[in-house]
């Protein structure tokens, strides 16, 4: 069980696998008013930066689940580095359908709502692991401005324009599912730059170290095209945010 290789190449140096900066991640923890001992479940936990830094800064405990072998191993090392490996656990496994044995005060999926077949299904999945009056966290893209064509949407790595909503519609959709939006923290263009541009140096160094790898041609194509694609499309059209929800 693992994610496609391209992600373990391009994001191998990332600590955060979404457009949040460390400052935004810290802000999210602060605005949630986390109490020491709060249990957090993170489905699609990547390299574990949210759980590890929140355990260090806010005293939470928790479990992260991710299907990437590399990222799961990095998460465990990060927990040891920050001295919180006694408070957070990382499981290499499929987050789709995962229900925690012990319910959490916060259940999160930041940028991997495919695990539930979309936002609605992911909210339904997370709710199964949540304590009464607990908080759900959904990290999801939205359109900053509507793409004029399906081709432009594709350049933003969307399957179609209909894959994402504008921000007002996305926020409204949570109410239609029976949830109050009680907080939100939005990424900005700097966050997108940190997420996307960091891949380019990683790819360049990987190519230098692996010139004979069968995968090198695909990585070279990406490194050639991605900087221009990002500044032309993703940076201008696509937003991303984390929305804190409580059931009505």
């Amino acid at each position: 069980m693992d994610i496609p290789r391209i992600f373990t190449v391009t994001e191998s140096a990332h600590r955060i696998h979404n457009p949040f900066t460390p400052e935004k991640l810290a802000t999210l923890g602060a605005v949630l008013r986390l109490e020491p001992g709060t249990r957090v479940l993170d489905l699609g936990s990547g390299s574990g930066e949210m759980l590890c830094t929140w355990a260090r800064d806010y005293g939470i405990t928790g479990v992260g689940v991710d299907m990437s072998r590399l990222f799961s191993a990095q998460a465990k090392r990060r927990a040891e580095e920050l001295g919180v490996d006694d408070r957070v656990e990382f499981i290499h496994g499929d987050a789709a359908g995962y229900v925690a044995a012990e319910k959490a005060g916060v259940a999160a999926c930041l940028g991997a709502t495919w695990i539930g077949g979309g936002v609605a299904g992911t909210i339904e999945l997370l709710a199964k692991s949540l304590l009464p009056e607990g908080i759900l966290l959904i990290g999801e893209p939205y359109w900053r401005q509507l793409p004029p064509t399906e081709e432009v949407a594709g350049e933003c790595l969307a399957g179609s324009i209909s894959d994402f909503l504008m921000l007002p519609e996305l926020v409204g959709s949570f109410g239609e599912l029976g949830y109050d939006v009680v907080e939100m923290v939005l990424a900005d263009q700097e966050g997108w730059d940190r997420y996307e541009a960091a891949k380019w140096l990683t790819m360049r160094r990987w190519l230098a170290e692996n010139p004979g790898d069968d995968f090198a041609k695909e990585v070279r194509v990406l490194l050639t095209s991605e900087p221009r694609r990002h500044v032309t499309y993703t940076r201008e059209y696509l937003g991303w945010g984390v929305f804190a929800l409580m059931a009505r």
Side-chain angles (χ1 to χ4, degrees):
M1 179 185 299
D2 211 333
I3 61 176
R5 188 183 181 195
I6 191 61
F7 297 107
T8 61
V9 171
T10 61
E11 298 188 28
S12 60
H14 283 51
R15 281 184 174 166
I16 302 173
H17 301 275
N18 59 56
F20 261 14
T21 60
E23 293 78 15
K24 292 282 187 179
L25 199 58
T27 295
L28 179 62
V31 300
L32 294 176
R33 308 171 199 173
L34 295 169
E35 297 288 340
T38 299
R39 187 169 181 81
V40 179
L41 172 68
D42 187 9
L43 298 185
S45 51
S47 297
E49 192 71 359
M50 183 177 80
L51 286 180
C52 290
T53 56
W54 285 6
R56 177 195 64 192
D57 299 338
Y58 306 117
I60 63 99
T61 65
V63 174
V65 183
D66 199 277
M67 67 187 303
S68 168
R69 292 186 184 277
L70 173 64
F71 298 162
S72 297
Q74 289 176 336
K76 292 176 183 179
R77 288 197 296 271
R78 183 62 167 157
E80 293 171 358
E81 177 186 337
L82 297 184
V84 297
D85 50 311
D86 60 334
R87 281 180 268 167
V88 293
E89 174 188 5
F90 293 99
I91 299 170
H92 171 243
D94 190 354
Y98 183 90
V99 178
E102 181 180 349
K103 291 188 181 297
V106 177
C109 178
L110 274 54
T113 55
W114 53 266
I115 67 171
V119 171
T122 301
I123 288 174
E124 183 179 355
L125 172 61
L126 290 172
K128 296 176 181 178
S129 298
L130 195 66
L131 290 166
E133 292 298 300
I135 293 177
L136 297 179
L137 298 179
I138 294 290
E140 184 72 1
Y142 59 88
W143 295 121
R144 294 181 63 241
Q145 54 178 317
L146 204 62
T149 67
E150 293 290 353
E151 181 180 5
V152 171
E155 293 288 355
C156 297
L157 305 183
S160 69
I161 295 173
S162 62
D163 278 3
F164 306 131
L165 300 172
M166 297 289 286
L167 183 58
E169 286 71 35
L170 178 58
V171 170
S173 72
F174 297 128
E176 295 168 4
L177 293 171
Y179 286 82
D180 289 322
V181 179
V182 297
E183 256 295 357
M184 71 177 188
V185 178
L186 303 182
D188 54 23
Q189 288 175 308
E190 170 64 17
W192 274 113
D193 291 346
R194 290 302 85 240
Y195 176 52
E196 294 292 345
K199 300 175 186 178
W200 310 336
L201 180 58
T202 300
M203 286 191 280
R204 179 58 189 258
R205 288 181 170 169
W206 185 91
L207 285 169
E209 294 167 1
N210 301 274
D213 195 291
D214 291 342
F215 204 53
K217 183 177 180 179
E218 183 172 340
V219 175
R220 164 43 66 190
V221 169
L222 275 182
L223 178 55
T224 302
S225 63
E226 280 297 282
R228 185 179 180 89
R229 185 200 64 78
H230 168 61
V231 300
T232 304
Y233 297 105
T234 306
R235 200 175 194 274
E236 299 305 312
Y237 288 94
L238 203 58
W240 195 88
V242 178
F243 304 88
L245 314 175
M246 296 181 72
R248 289 177 177 166

